[in-house]
Amino acid sequence: MRALLHERMAWACAAAGQPRETERALLAAEEALGADEGGPQPDWAAWADGTELRVMAGRCWTELRRPLRAVPVLSAAHAQYDDSHARDKALYLSWLGDAYLCAGEPEEASAAVGRALDLASGVASVRPRQRLEPVLHRMAEHRGLPAVDEVLARATV
């Protein structure tokens, strides 16, 4: 439970543009995740396997425009998810695509965003598509690259 609170603090710090505080909160979340709290944990705390924390770390570093930190953790976390978790995987891929754009890698961003579009098309949630919209908008700055053009064309269908 403490890990989740620190994770949320990390996101708030990242959204406020505070990289040192973000890193501190992520480290505290990691420590809390590894600590034995002794008693039973609530059912909703079952996410605490480390993957979700890596996703949050990647999201934070993407938000702070630190793609060299974001891409490796998001890539590793995304590999942990089966396609049966399409909604979550599409969301995580949207952050990965955003991080690649920050790194100046529009072709890699296209691959991640294209996969996210595939996964999002089959889910009953609008959140993945909403999260992809600003990433697609940023990708449009790279029109003329075949990979980008293909993803942008698919996104408008």
Side-chain angles (χ1 to χ4, degrees):
M1 200 151 75
R2 285 186 313 112
L4 181 60
L5 293 174
H6 287 297
E7 177 186 283
R8 298 301 178 205
M9 174 59 86
W11 176 249
C13 291
Q18 302 171 333
R20 281 191 300 265
E21 292 81 357
T22 300
E23 186 160 27
R24 218 170 313 170
L26 288 170
L27 288 172
E30 192 173 326
E31 288 172 9
L33 195 58
D36 182 7
E37 306 232 345
Q41 296 294 309
D43 290 340
W44 54 262
W47 66 270
D49 67 353
T51 303
E52 291 293 331
L53 180 56
R54 286 189 293 279
V55 168
M56 180 56 78
R59 289 177 57 196
C60 289
W61 296 124
T62 301
E63 184 72 15
L64 289 165
R65 302 296 183 228
R66 306 280 297 272
L68 294 179
R69 288 185 173 206
V71 167
V73 293
L74 287 170
S75 294
H78 145 266
Q80 298 294 311
Y81 278 87
D82 185 78
D83 286 357
S84 63
H85 300 280
R87 178 190 170 274
D88 294 338
K89 195 168 182 175
L91 286 168
Y92 304 156
L93 283 166
S94 74
W95 289 100
L96 181 59
D98 196 3
Y100 275 128
L101 284 174
C102 290
E105 295 292 341
E107 292 89 354
E108 293 294 331
S110 296
V113 170
R115 186 70 186 117
L117 286 169
D118 292 343
L119 291 165
S121 70
V123 298
S125 172
V126 298
R127 188 164 174 234
R129 184 58 191 222
Q130 287 173 334
R131 171 68 191 120
L132 284 166
E133 286 304 321
V135 181
L136 288 163
H137 181 75
R138 288 186 54 224
M139 281 182 65
E141 298 170 17
H142 301 280
R143 284 188 195 278
L145 292 172
V148 171
D149 291 345
E150 188 269 325
V151 169
L152 292 174
R154 286 179 41 217
T156 60
V157 173

